[in-house]
Amino acid sequence: MATPPYSLTPVQTRSRSSPTFPSPPTTPSSGMTNPMSPIRPAISLHQPNSKKGSSKHNKIFRRVRAVFRSFPIITPACKISVSLHGNRLPDGHVGGTRMTGTLYGHRKARVSLAIQESPGSLPLLLLELTIPTGKLLQDMGGGLVRIALECEKKPNDKTRIEDESIWTLFCNGRKCGYAAKREPTDEDFNVMQALRVVSMGAGVIPAGDGADQPADGELTYMRAFFERVAGSKDSETYYMLNPDGNNGPELSLFFVRL
């Protein structure tokens, strides 16, 4: 006589619980291995505008540019002098494209550099530098820091400069190891998500409730606007922009192929 209650109980439990979980069929498309993880579902970073429909617009632009290049160049007889100082903006901009740059990492571990189109977008470029995070932030507090990233120029190579995989790293003229391009990890996405509303500033990202302090120190960050200036296909420069506009950039990044 004990068989009917035990056979009906699991059926009733499934019928009551099934309406409360309508989302599991959509979770495999997100690539999550742990559906209970609070990190990945909270990510709301958007794709950069440069990656949305870029192929179609690039084809149209190339065709229009090819047509205009076929026109003859006409030199006007009257020349108007233009002041070079008029190209510079009063707030210290150097005439390039403004990007968001973030230096972050655990104080005793290697620092990561993320370049984004905006604070709320996915990173366009993510590099890992062989410099401890605490050391780099300390040097920046003491004055101007110039980081040069050099790689070998290969003949007939059409790789874009930001797509190079490894660089030789120089900091203020001293060779300090290398920099490597890598794909974002869950921790990187978590950092970008936590800073999505931060335009500029520096601080510490908390590890979370009940989390132990990592052995390589707390997770620190520094975010600022950078002006991206493309000199040629083999050189790019990122200048940090100061909010006051009085002093020069505290950090300059040079990407060079030699």
Side-chain angles (χ1 to χ4, degrees):
M1 298 300 295
T3 303
Y6 284 99
S7 61
L8 293 176
T9 301
V11 175
Q12 294 176 353
T13 302
R14 286 194 297 268
S15 63
R16 290 196 301 267
S17 60
S18 56
T20 61
F21 295 95
S23 58
T26 62
T27 54
S29 61
S30 63
M32 294 173 53
T33 57
N34 182 9
M36 300 301 293
S37 174
I39 298 178
R40 297 308 296 271
I43 300 300
S44 60
L45 303 173
H46 57 81
Q47 286 285 351
N49 293 330
S50 59
K51 293 187 177 182
K52 294 179 180 180
S54 59
S55 58
K56 181 178 179 181
H57 290 85
N58 287 339
K59 291 180 180 178
I60 298 175
F61 175 75
R62 285 194 296 267
R63 291 176 181 176
V64 174
R65 183 178 61 181
V67 172
F68 277 95
R69 281 183 173 179
S70 64
F71 293 163
I73 299 176
I74 302 174
T75 304
C78 179
K79 296 183 180 180
I80 302 175
S81 61
V82 179
S83 175
L84 295 178
H85 298 284
N87 294 334
R88 287 185 175 270
L89 299 178
D91 58 352
H93 290 226
V94 293
T97 304
R98 192 171 75 165
M99 312 290 287
T100 297
T102 309
L103 294 164
Y104 63 95
H106 297 280
R107 285 191 175 272
K108 299 179 183 179
R110 296 174 178 177
V111 64
S112 296
L113 169 64
I115 300 296
Q116 299 167 268
E117 191 176 75
S118 64
S121 65
L122 293 169
L124 293 169
L125 177 64
L126 182 60
L127 296 175
E128 182 175 312
L129 314 180
T130 54
I131 302 177
T133 306
K135 178 65 168 58
L136 180 58
L137 296 181
Q138 181 181 3
D139 292 343
M140 291 182 60
L144 180 63
V145 175
R146 291 183 174 91
I147 294 179
L149 302 176
E150 298 181 0
C151 68
E152 183 180 358
K153 183 178 179 179
K154 301 176 182 178
N156 301 324
D157 188 5
K158 297 183 180 180
T159 304
R160 298 185 304 173
I161 192 169
E162 61 267 20
D163 291 335
E164 295 287 350
S165 57
I166 192 165
W167 306 78
T168 302
L169 172 63
F170 296 87
C171 183
N172 288 341
R174 300 188 306 271
K175 188 175 180 179
C176 300
Y178 64 91
K181 182 179 179 180
R182 61 178 178 84
E183 294 296 325
T185 63
D186 286 343
E187 184 177 14
D188 298 316
F189 285 125
N190 203 24
V191 172
M192 298 295 104
Q193 178 69 17
L195 301 178
R196 69 191 184 279
V197 296
V198 179
S199 298
M200 59 179 61
V204 177
I205 299 178
D209 298 336
D212 297 332
Q213 182 70 23
D216 50 3
E218 57 191 1
L219 182 61
T220 60
Y221 75 92
M222 191 217 66
R223 168 169 283 185
F225 287 120
F226 283 77
E227 202 76 25
R228 174 183 174 269
V229 179
S232 67
K233 65 177 182 179
D234 296 320
S235 66
E236 283 187 3
T237 307
Y238 289 83
Y239 298 96
M240 179 187 289
L241 302 178
N242 290 324
D244 54 11
N246 296 326
N247 300 323
E250 298 177 358
L251 177 64
S252 300
L253 299 167
F254 303 91
F255 294 81
V256 183
R257 276 193 294 220
L258 300 176

